[in-house]
Amino acid sequence: MSFDALFEGFSTEAIAAMIGLAVGLSFGVFAQQSRFCLRAACVEFWRGQAGKKFAIWLLAFGAAMIGAQYFIEIGAIDTGKIRQLNNVGSMSGAIIGGLLFGSGMVLAGGCASRLLVLSATGNMRTMVAGLVVTVVAQASLRGGLSPLREEISSWWLVDANSRSFAPWLPQHGGLILGVAILVFALWFARRHELSKWWGVAAIITGLTVALGWLLTSWHAANSFDIVPVKSVSFTGPSADTLMGLINQPKLPLNFDVGLVPGVFLGSLLAALVTREFKWQRFTEDSGFTRFFIGAAFMGFGGMLAGGCAVGAGVTGGSILVITAWVALFCMWLGAGVTDWLVDRKADEAKAAIEAARLAAEAIPQFATAPELVRLQAN
């Protein structure tokens, strides 16, 4: 089928949805297979144990930047039509939203994209958390939390002409930076003996982000209608898709409506083919409260920051949006602080209890020692 026949046979909205579905399927398959997750990378990094998960994230980020910057340089992506580069941005939103999102993804066990990917593999905990993210994101966008989001966003605005730091870089600077990140990621992955398949899958995950920019830009250039140039993101698109399903008898077609189900289906397909699908539910150990709080933080923080760990961090970062890089840095910072305050101290307490238990087994008289009793009480 020729491009002319495609545009004659399908509406602009249907083509956008098909592009979103194709990009989503690719992202879902390879994000699931690579174990791509910003939360896991942050925990490794801040605990001084940077290894395979950190390498996976770097591979995806470097690949996304190389792909996006290459397509921009050859003129295949029209940056003049990208909203993040041509509208007023919020630095205060990027900072506070990034911190909230980073904290939330540690509490919820994954960022918005990871929750969607894991929910397709049978993880009911992440499915519930993902629904909470979506509802809170919608409330932040158009509901009761929108006045607070707008107020915080207004504290520090960035002019549309200052959204990108590409002018600060030398010629081909963005592409060179992407290559440098990817080369370092490859070296780091080899040093930590990352599986070749995981590494390839991580790179394809990143290239999927560049593919989204490329295909939506191609669509915008060849359509008589106004088509948004965008790529992979989850907080806003998930909220719009869910609300559309709830409020409208017929879901309006667009890129986001294809993207979100595409990621779910891609992850589900990958999990079934590799026999990694497994039902997982809430347990007494996993708890529920932290998942709920973390998901709420991500829903509000993602809308405030202008996107999730993928939408703002990787997708926005790949085209050198200043607020996206600030939001990404704050996500790393928020995740590190929360991990230290919540999980690391809890892990240290569990380790102390386990050590005392082993000592009690080795020396029965120690089983009632005051130290063990105190540890268990705490």
Side-chain angles (χ1 to χ4, degrees):
M1 177 183 290
S2 66
F3 291 148
D4 291 337
L6 178 66
F7 282 98
E8 290 176 2
F10 297 94
S11 67
T12 298
E13 293 79 9
I15 295 173
M18 287 189 286
I19 291 174
L21 180 63
V23 172
L25 282 169
S26 177
F27 186 93
V29 169
F30 293 104
Q32 193 277 333
Q33 285 295 287
S34 66
R35 280 64 175 170
F36 171 77
C37 179
L38 178 60
R39 180 256 180 195
C42 287
V43 170
E44 275 195 351
F45 177 82
W46 288 115
R47 293 191 180 190
Q49 301 169 352
K52 296 178 181 180
K53 297 173 183 177
F54 182 67
I56 288 169
W57 188 88
L58 281 179
L59 287 170
F61 186 76
M65 180 171 290
I66 290 174
Q69 290 301 310
Y70 172 75
F71 290 136
I72 289 173
E73 291 205 5
I74 65 174
I77 296 177
D78 184 358
T79 57
K81 295 182 178 180
I82 298 177
R83 178 183 58 82
Q84 292 96 320
L85 293 174
N86 296 280
N87 289 348
V88 174
S90 172
M91 190 65 73
S92 54
I95 295 171
I96 298 174
L99 289 171
L100 284 173
F101 192 95
S103 176
M105 68 182 182
V106 169
L107 295 174
C111 66
S113 64
R114 187 61 177 165
L115 295 182
L116 180 60
V117 168
L118 286 179
S119 65
T121 67
N123 192 320
M124 301 304 294
R125 299 192 301 268
T126 58
M127 182 175 291
V128 172
L131 288 173
V132 174
V133 171
T134 301
V135 172
V136 174
Q138 183 65 20
S140 304
L141 180 62
R142 299 186 181 93
L145 293 176
S146 60
L148 177 61
R149 175 185 60 81
E150 292 170 358
E151 171 63 25
I152 297 174
S153 297
S154 68
W155 293 347
W156 184 2
L157 299 177
V158 180
D159 186 77
N161 296 324
S162 306
R163 292 295 302 275
S164 172
F165 63 86
W168 306 346
L169 300 176
Q171 188 176 14
H172 311 301
L175 187 58
I176 293 171
L177 179 59
V179 170
I181 293 173
L182 184 62
V183 169
F184 173 76
L186 288 169
W187 170 81
F188 195 82
R190 184 175 181 180
R191 180 183 179 185
H192 290 273
E193 300 180 347
L194 179 69
S195 161
K196 290 182 180 180
W197 170 238
W198 285 11
V200 170
I203 291 174
I204 297 176
T205 300
L207 291 176
T208 301
V209 172
L211 179 65
W213 285 123
L214 175 66
L215 292 180
T216 56
S217 188
W218 165 82
H219 188 199
N222 290 278
S223 175
F224 290 107
D225 300 314
I226 297 176
V227 176
V229 178
K230 61 197 321 184
S231 189
V232 182
S233 187
F234 293 99
T235 312
S238 297
D240 288 339
T241 302
L242 179 62
M243 291 304 108
L245 288 171
I246 294 174
N247 297 324
Q248 302 182 46
K250 185 177 180 180
L251 191 63
L253 297 178
N254 55 44
F255 176 84
D256 295 337
V257 167
L259 174 72
V260 175
V263 172
F264 185 91
L265 291 174
S267 177
L268 175 62
L269 177 63
L272 291 174
V273 170
T274 57
R275 298 183 180 181
E276 295 177 1
F277 186 91
K278 180 182 179 182
W279 290 111
Q280 297 182 58
R281 300 175 177 83
F282 284 102
T283 64
E284 185 176 343
D285 292 333
S286 66
F288 176 78
T289 303
R290 64 174 288 160
F291 278 84
F292 184 89
I293 295 174
F297 279 8
M298 281 197 291
F300 183 73
M303 296 309 299
L304 187 58
C308 60
V310 173
V314 180
T315 300
S318 68
I319 57 172
L320 307 181
V321 179
I322 292 176
T323 50
W325 280 71
V326 171
L328 179 60
F329 172 78
C330 290
M331 288 176 191
W332 279 83
L333 186 60
V337 172
T338 303
D339 178 63
W340 181 75
L341 291 174
V342 179
D343 288 338
R344 204 182 309 184
K345 287 190 174 182
D347 291 345
E348 290 174 356
K350 289 179 181 178
I353 292 174
E354 180 65 14
R357 185 187 66 79
L358 293 174
E361 291 178 353
I363 308 175
Q365 295 85 348
F366 183 72
T368 57
E371 180 64 16
L372 178 58
V373 174
R374 183 184 67 81
L375 287 171
Q376 291 176 329
N378 293 334

